[in-house]
Amino acid sequence: MPELPEVETTRRGIAPHVVGRTVTRVIVRQPQLRWPVTAALAQQTTGERIESVDRRGKYILLGTHSGTLILHLGMSGSLRIVPADSTAMKHDHVDIVLNDQHSLRFRDPRRFGALLWTRGNPRHHPLLASLGPEPLDSDFSGAWLHRQSRHRSAPIKSFVMDSRVVAGVGNIYANEALFLAGIHPKRAAGRLSEQRCRKLADSIRWVLSEAIEHGGTTLRDFVNETGSPGYFQQMLHVYGRTGKSCHQCQRGIRLIRLGQRSTFYCPGCQH
DNA sequence: AGTGCGGCCTGTCCGC
DNA sequence: TGCGGACAGGCCGCAC
């Protein structure tokens, strides 16, 4: 479910409710997520005061004095602030109970999400260490994209979805950014000019920022920390629009598979 | 080293 | 209405 804008929307939503609070208890109803949620994690987190809520790619980082709780929402995860005594639903796997009678509740039907505890700098954690630049930071640019893509034969869409190239660009926004940049998703990454790389970097940055401003894209069941949906879906140009007419040229949007992922593009606008 | 695929899960939707 | 199969927003880890 959540791509970077949804994760950022979640981060901003929960931050005011968790920063400064202390974890009084961690309730694990279903430990089998992407990696098992251990008793040690619950023990290490309990008693810690949450000092910061950061994001790196699609990871949410809850910082405390002695370590960091790393959260990933996977495909179907969500976080909500709920009264601590509210009834847990079927897929509410973990509650981080806070000292204000509220809980940060992690729900994840497909269980591709993750909760990990790490001491020391979370950016050095194996899962985060090899992530590329943040797409909204200044070190991500057309020049970077151009340099990284030389002599690479992979389709440009797969390339920008590689988290080592740039962190957090998922399927929806990869499709949308390529449309905005006028680039065919199958084009070999290494064959893009620097100018087109610049256009693509700008498009990635623009589409992610826009989506964050609109509270994320609601597909199926994305909801923010209060349970309300995002409004970016109506802004999509290609994602999920197979056969519908292009907003720019009226031709039919096409669907192909690229690296096992649905890939949408306009045959008139993207080359 | 780079590329492409299988697999982890549940829920939903579509065609028969 | 029921059933099987395909598919879904992510990403690690493996084989080539």
Side-chain angles (χ1 to χ4, degrees), chain A residues 62-137:
Chain A
L62 300 187
T64 78
H65 178 68
S66 46
T68 303
L69 193 60
I70 302 175
L71 279 152
H72 196 291
L73 302 179
M75 290 270 257
S76 59
S78 62
L79 287 170
R80 296 199 203 173
I81 303 293
V82 299
D85 60 1
S86 77
T87 310
M89 305 298 281
K90 188 173 178 191
H91 299 294
D92 292 342
H93 305 316
V94 179
D95 278 8
I96 312 281
V97 186
L98 306 169
N99 63 337
D100 66 351
Q101 324 308 325
H102 284 75
S103 291
L104 179 63
R105 181 165 285 177
F106 178 75
R107 172 181 299 180
D108 185 9
R110 287 178 72 182
R111 289 196 265 136
F112 291 168
L115 266 83
L116 301 156
W117 174 260
T118 184
R119 296 191 182 282
N121 188 339
R123 278 146 221 272
H124 299 159
H125 188 279
L127 289 175
L128 307 193
S130 57
L131 290 179
E134 280 296 317
L136 300 178
D137 285 358

Side-chain angles (χ1 to χ4, degrees), chain A residues 8-20:
Chain A
E8 178 62 19
T9 299
T10 299
R11 186 195 71 78
R12 293 181 185 181
I14 66 170
H17 301 278
V18 301
V19 172

Side-chain angles (χ1 to χ4, degrees), chain A residues 20-269:
Chain A
R21 311 289 197 282
T22 297
V23 178
T24 57
R25 200 179 158 204
V26 177
I27 302 169
V28 181
R29 302 184 191 85
Q30 168 56 276
Q32 296 305 317
L33 303 182
R34 194 165 200 324
W35 293 281
V37 179
T38 61
L41 177 145
Q43 199 182 346
Q44 282 155 328
T45 309
T46 301
E48 294 295 326
R49 182 175 179 274
I50 298 171
E51 290 164 352
S52 59
V53 184
D54 296 313
R55 177 184 61 73
R56 178 75 175 99
K58 293 173 192 157
Y59 294 91
I60 290 175
L61 310 174
L62 300 187
T64 78
H65 178 68
S66 46
T68 303
L69 193 60
I70 302 175
L71 279 152
H72 196 291
L73 302 179
M75 290 270 257
S76 59
S78 62
L79 287 170
R80 296 199 203 173
I81 303 293
V82 299
D85 60 1
S86 77
T87 310
M89 305 298 281
K90 188 173 178 191
H91 299 294
D92 292 342
H93 305 316
V94 179
D95 278 8
I96 312 281
V97 186
L98 306 169
N99 63 337
D100 66 351
Q101 324 308 325
H102 284 75
S103 291
L104 179 63
R105 181 165 285 177
F106 178 75
R107 172 181 299 180
D108 185 9
R110 287 178 72 182
R111 289 196 265 136
F112 291 168
L115 266 83
L116 301 156
W117 174 260
T118 184
R119 296 191 182 282
N121 188 339
R123 278 146 221 272
H124 299 159
H125 188 279
L127 289 175
L128 307 193
S130 57
L131 290 179
E134 280 296 317
L136 300 178
D137 285 358
S138 56
D139 52 345
F140 173 67
S141 66
W144 164 264
L145 216 44
H146 188 251
R147 199 171 340 123
Q148 293 300 306
S149 61
R150 292 312 86 186
H151 310 297
R152 298 285 296 268
S153 63
I156 185 62
K157 182 180 174 242
S158 311
F159 183 75
V160 297
M161 289 180 70
D162 182 339
S163 63
R164 291 164 297 186
V165 172
V166 52
V169 178
N171 199 31
I172 297 179
Y173 299 106
N175 278 297
E176 292 299 312
L178 286 167
F179 171 80
L180 294 171
I183 299 168
H184 194 290
K186 282 178 85 169
R187 176 161 294 280
R191 296 182 164 276
L192 282 175
S193 68
E194 178 153 16
Q195 190 182 343
R196 299 191 86 196
C197 284
R198 215 176 300 133
K199 183 99 202 247
L200 180 54
D202 289 347
S203 298
I204 289 171
R205 199 191 297 278
W206 186 85
V207 75
L208 293 174
S209 313
E210 260 329 90
I212 291 168
E213 282 195 28
H214 286 80
T217 303
T218 295
L219 289 185
R220 303 206 166 76
D221 56 358
F222 172 74
V223 287
N224 63 18
E225 80 294 343
T226 59
S228 54
Y231 295 97
F232 192 71
Q233 189 173 15
Q234 52 231 58
M235 320 257 307
L236 299 177
H237 288 106
V238 288
Y239 187 86
R241 298 193 66 246
T242 313
K244 301 209 169 117
S245 85
C246 173
H247 295 146
Q248 283 180 21
C249 78
Q250 276 48 267
R251 288 184 63 180
I253 301 300
R254 291 196 188 155
L255 167 63
I256 56 173
R257 299 226 121 225
L258 216 48
Q260 318 291 90
R261 311 304 298 273
S262 290
T263 301
F264 305 86
Y265 71 98
C266 170
C269 298

